Amino acid sequence: YSQGHERPEGEFCPICTLPIPLPVHENAKWNVCCMKLICQGCNLAARKRRMVNCLYCRTPSPKNDADRLAMIQARVVKKDPEAINRLGEAYCHGEFGLLKDMRKAVE
């Protein structure tokens, strides 16, 4: 990073504080409970230790798409910008059992 190039703040793992390798979305996992990206190394270490809760906030992992959507919507109500963006992406791509709706995705 000595050449003036900086990575966005969200591209660092909050557990090990190392930069997440590019492409970020292939080398990290979103936790819908706290909207944090956790690197694959930390996820692998946690699985080896049989940790099933979120590594960052210790919330139990959601069991299905309805639970994931409920967690995202709870963060949206709290005005979390990452959650608002993720909900918009879910509407755009039809994830979590939502119908594709560009109008809601833009809102």
Side-chain angles (χ1 to χ4, degrees), residues 14-94:
I15 306 299
C16 64
T17 66
L18 294 174
I20 297 171
L22 298 174
V24 174
H25 295 290
E26 290 180 13
N27 293 304
K29 178 185 169 234
W30 273 109
N31 288 337
V32 294
C33 49
C34 57
M35 293 288 124
K36 299 291 183 188
L37 266 176
I38 308 295
C39 72
Q40 292 294 11
C42 290
N43 281 322
L44 178 63
R47 280 198 309 256
K48 283 185 176 182
R49 292 185 181 107
R50 291 182 173 74
M51 295 173 71
V52 294
N53 294 341
C54 173
L55 298 177
Y56 190 77
C57 67
R58 305 291 188 233
T59 302
S61 298
K63 303 288 185 221
N64 54 37
D65 283 345
D67 291 344
R68 286 181 188 86
L69 183 59
M71 285 183 163
I72 292 172
Q73 288 173 334
R75 300 288 303 182
V76 167
V77 169
K78 295 176 183 175
K79 307 285 187 215
D80 181 350
E82 285 292 332
I84 294 168
N85 182 50
R86 189 68 187 103
L87 184 60
E89 288 178 6
Y91 274 114
C92 181
H93 301 293

